[in-house]
Amino acid sequence: MPFGNTHNNFKLNYKVEDEFPDLSKHNNHMAKVLTKELYGKIRDRQTPSGYTLDDVIQTGVDNPGHPFIMTVGCVAGDEESYEVFKELLDPVISDRHGGYKPTDKHKTDMNFENLKGGDDLDPNYVLSSRVRTGRSIKGFTLPPHNSRGERRAIEKLSVEALTSLDGEFKGKYYPLKSMTDAEQEQLINDHFLFDKPVSPLLTCAGMARDWPDGRGIMHNDNKTFLVWVNEEDHLRVISMQKGGNMREVFKRFCVGLQKIEEIFKKHNHGFMWNEHLGYILTCPSNLGTGLRGGVHVKLPKLSTHPKFDEILTRLRLQKRGTGGVDTASVGGVFDISNADRLGSSEVEQVQLVVDGVKLMVELEKKLEKGEAIDSLIPAQK
Amino acid sequence: MPFGNTHNQLKLKYSSEQEYPDLSKHNNHMAKILTPAMYERLRTKETPSGFTLDDVIQTGIDNPGHPFIMTVGCVAGDEETYEVFKELLDPVIEDRHGGYKPSDKHKTDLNPSNLKGGDDLDSNYVLSSRVRTGRSVRGFCLPPHCSRGERRAVEKLSIEALASLSGDLNGKYYALKNMTDAEQQQLIDDHFLFDKPVSPLLLASGMGRDWPDARGIWHNDSKTFLVWVNEEDHLRVISMQKGGNMKEVFNRFCTGLTKIETLFKERNHAFMWNEHLGYVLTCPSNLGTGLRAGVHVKLPNMSKNAKFEDVLKKLRLQKRGTGGVDTAAVGGVFDISNADRLGFSEVELVQMVVDGVKLLVEMEKKLEKGQSIDDIMPAQK
């Protein structure tokens, strides 16, 4: 059981009203859920590694709200955060993940054979396809909380696992702190390089500490499989390629992840997972599959159609600009991906993307010919 | 975030080498002093409020070095930090404050009648005069570490103390979080408003947390005396006015500070002070007097003279641009202030500024007339 957490206990000298954050100008999931009473009830708790309520919510206190996106406003510092602070996190999860209940079970399905189709999206419209997810390694605390020793141990394990991959996954690891200028330039040109987070959503949660120590990038020789180590999560895994063959992207994604997981398990450090929350990640928004499967697709006509957003909602998809989250689309090219993470499996989510994008390309073609699309508007998935 | 000491205990499972930061690319006082052996000895310690070694040094790890200024790279989280971590902080203090030894005593002198002259600096050259310092309120943790409850308590005490000032010091408090647009604009126009820190030196140590809760600005009606509450220190006190009457500025500074200190003492919360370190502040660079007295002065000729830097050094003065630290001079106007903080009293430091600026203006006038300044070069003070 934990040793006394001195600073947290010290704060208990102050009344709840004095310590409760001012959330009057805030608009994020944490601020919607956290009341003074709830704060008073759980503020004396800590996880076994010493993560406290104030640690969980600090990023939401410091970042009142995002103009385009309802941010989560809280993070986990370790696997146990989701249990110790469930009174806060369960309602946040429910709010964020379409009513997901504390009793619900999440289904994991990483069997790429279960995906139907997905190899024939029209590359005249679908410019590129990509699937990403995150993974946390059991036995270590998460990026908001981990020490240098833990982060380095994660890096060491990751490098071992990743450099032992072969075949199409054979590749190289580039630690951020000892990259040459040439390597850096190449990684930037390939759009692989991640930089020290500047978003206050991340820095306020402590994720940028000790940068760039323990951080790095691995990619395969073909540049179609990429792993980020110790950025916002222990691992971020990305499979990508030009064109519309999402099936191939997803296959590589599943096979690669499985190989990596096996190696970690051999070292007694499997991935954090449970049957309620699926894969455990730093941000509650990424629980479940942690998966974002998406394409860059040309939809100049459909995107200006009054029913565009409604179609996306019904297809359970979301749009972003081609620079990623918070960017605008350029030249009618959109990033279209699954909106859900928790409560449906990997296969189901990628299926939604595949089917949905196929339909949207059809709608685009109709609009090009001046035809109506009303009869093809889908039902709510 | 590394603010819990349960976490500090957890980190002890990792060897000291595994936890020791990579300081190979670093250039700050902390990085020059800290060694693996010292890290090992100090990492098990914590102050009574739970501030740990990693808390002290985090800002120095995250900010390897400043191009123009040798930064300190460590901060205090409470008064006891300077005692518990003296093995690190004493050498840092010695390095930063010109060889100040652990056994040295610091002299405090806030008696303005001890200042000789200072009321006749030529206002054709000296555009404005200013004296600032910081104060920490005993019984509370410092900005890198304090909780919302503590910060609000410091604010409440400050408001009470400042509201009881009268006469030339009669004024008003503006809380950052409920300022009107009009008030904000006025404070900006007066050059009084401080904003959320953007410097990573400050943010990495946790001073931006919960912004703008419990932060505010107080100033007197004549706009010559200003107090910042809960920015980088509990209190920052500033006396300023146009022109070269530094004596008047220093008078007001001492009178105001003494009154404020009396009011705090009456409420059983004196300022943090001891006979070795003088006034205890968040950054080791501000120990002693915490005082920076300076002028904005026109020195277009002198500043281009080859001997300018040498003269400043001999006078124990430093130059900055008129935007403050890290800015460039505009139109030959420089911010000239005392370089020292610790080991000299307030009166001694302001005397150096008064005497030094008087000499610099003489030199400027000589250079204007095409005369040499060699015969009035000062000795090392």
Side-chain angles (χ1 to χ4, degrees), chain B residues 141-143 146 148 150-156 158 173 176 194 197 207 211-216 228-236:
Chain B
C141 296
L142 299 173
C146 64
R148 284 179 293 274
E150 289 185 285
R151 207 183 291 111
R152 289 164 180 173
V154 169
E155 187 193 32
K156 187 158 178 283
S158 303
Y173 180 75
L176 247 55
F194 65 93
M207 292 188 222
W211 203 273
D213 196 305
R215 274 84 167 188
W228 289 352
V229 179
N230 285 320
E231 194 237 9
E232 182 185 334
D233 283 293
H234 288 162
L235 302 174
R236 282 289 177 99

Side-chain angles (χ1 to χ4, degrees), chain A residues 75-132:
Chain A
V75 289
D78 50 24
E79 194 165 5
E80 297 83 351
S81 294
Y82 287 104
E83 191 53 45
V84 173
F85 300 106
K86 64 196 301 39
E87 278 109 319
L88 169 67
L89 295 175
D90 277 351
V92 166
I93 288 166
S94 186
D95 222 12
R96 177 64 175 207
H97 293 282
Y100 194 76
K101 296 192 293 299
T103 47
D104 284 338
K105 301 270 177 277
H106 171 81
K107 189 173 118 190
T108 293
D109 182 0
M110 293 279 290
N111 187 346
F112 62 89
E113 313 258 20
N114 291 341
L115 183 72
K116 299 185 193 35
D119 53 354
D120 60 350
L121 298 173
D122 187 343
N124 291 312
Y125 293 82
V126 180
L127 307 177
S128 60
S129 307
R130 180 185 188 264
V131 179
R132 69 86 160 150

Side-chain angles (χ1 to χ4, degrees), chain B residues 209-221:
Chain B
R209 287 172 302 124
D210 314 312
W211 203 273
D213 196 305
R215 274 84 167 188
I217 292 168
W218 178 97
H219 69 80
N220 65 350
D221 300 332

Side-chain angles (χ1 to χ4, degrees), chain B residues 149-169:
Chain B
E150 289 185 285
R151 207 183 291 111
R152 289 164 180 173
V154 169
E155 187 193 32
K156 187 158 178 283
L157 269 171
S158 303
I159 290 174
E160 233 183 86
L162 295 166
S164 58
L165 295 174
S166 60
D168 177 49
L169 296 176

Side-chain angles (χ1 to χ4, degrees), chain A residues 6 19 62 147-148 210, chain B residues 5 18-19 62 147-148 210:
Chain A
T6 306
E19 287 293 345
D62 290 344
S147 71
R148 284 178 296 276
D210 314 310
Chain B
N5 66 294
Q18 286 173 310
E19 286 293 345
D62 290 345
S147 70
R148 284 179 293 274
D210 314 312

